[in-house]
């Protein structure tokens, strides 16, 4: 895991890794509910993860009541 990630980014990344085996699409709102963050916090931190050199591909997929992210591990 990259050393320059914040604790929130690490939490989100771990959540995505733990759940991407059974799911491909994630809503910011639902991730936030699971991790005790707002959808806005999740969205801004996922954007940072998108730009990182990580083993996770994250693509902004859609917006409907919360941003949806397509995740591939």
């Amino acid at each position: 895991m990259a050393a320059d990630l914040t604790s929130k980014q690490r939490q989100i990344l771990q959540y995505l890794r733990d759940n991407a085996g059974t799911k491909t699409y994630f809503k910011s709102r639902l991730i936030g509910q699971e991790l005790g963050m707002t959808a806005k916090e999740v969205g801004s931190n996922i954007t940072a993860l998108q730009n990182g050199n990580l083993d996770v591909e994250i693509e902004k997929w859609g917006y409907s009541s919360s941003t949806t992210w397509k995740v591939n591990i």
Side-chain angles (χ1 to χ4, degrees), residues 32-47:
Q33 287 175 354
E34 289 286 323
L35 301 178
M37 297 179 202
T38 65
K40 187 174 183 173
E41 285 176 307
V42 172
S44 63
N45 284 293
I46 282 186
T47 301

Side-chain angles (χ1 to χ4, degrees), residues 11-22 26 73:
Q11 275 186 288
I12 294 167
L13 183 58
Q14 189 60 52
Y15 176 85
L16 295 175
R17 284 179 175 154
D18 290 347
N19 293 284
T22 58
F26 297 87
I73 300 282

Side-chain angles (χ1 to χ4, degrees), residues 5-63:
L5 296 179
T6 67
S7 64
K8 287 183 182 183
Q9 290 166 352
R10 283 189 183 102
Q11 275 186 288
I12 294 167
L13 183 58
Q14 189 60 52
Y15 176 85
L16 295 175
R17 284 179 175 154
D18 290 347
N19 293 284
T22 58
K23 237 169 112 160
T24 302
Y25 298 95
F26 297 87
K27 287 195 172 283
S28 291
R29 176 178 46 84
L30 299 177
I31 294 171
Q33 287 175 354
E34 289 286 323
L35 301 178
M37 297 179 202
T38 65
K40 187 174 183 173
E41 285 176 307
V42 172
S44 63
N45 284 293
I46 282 186
T47 301
L49 293 175
Q50 275 184 300
N51 300 326
N53 188 17
L54 303 168
D55 62 343
V56 175
E57 290 179 31
I58 303 170
E59 179 183 348
K60 190 172 186 175
W61 195 253
Y63 185 86

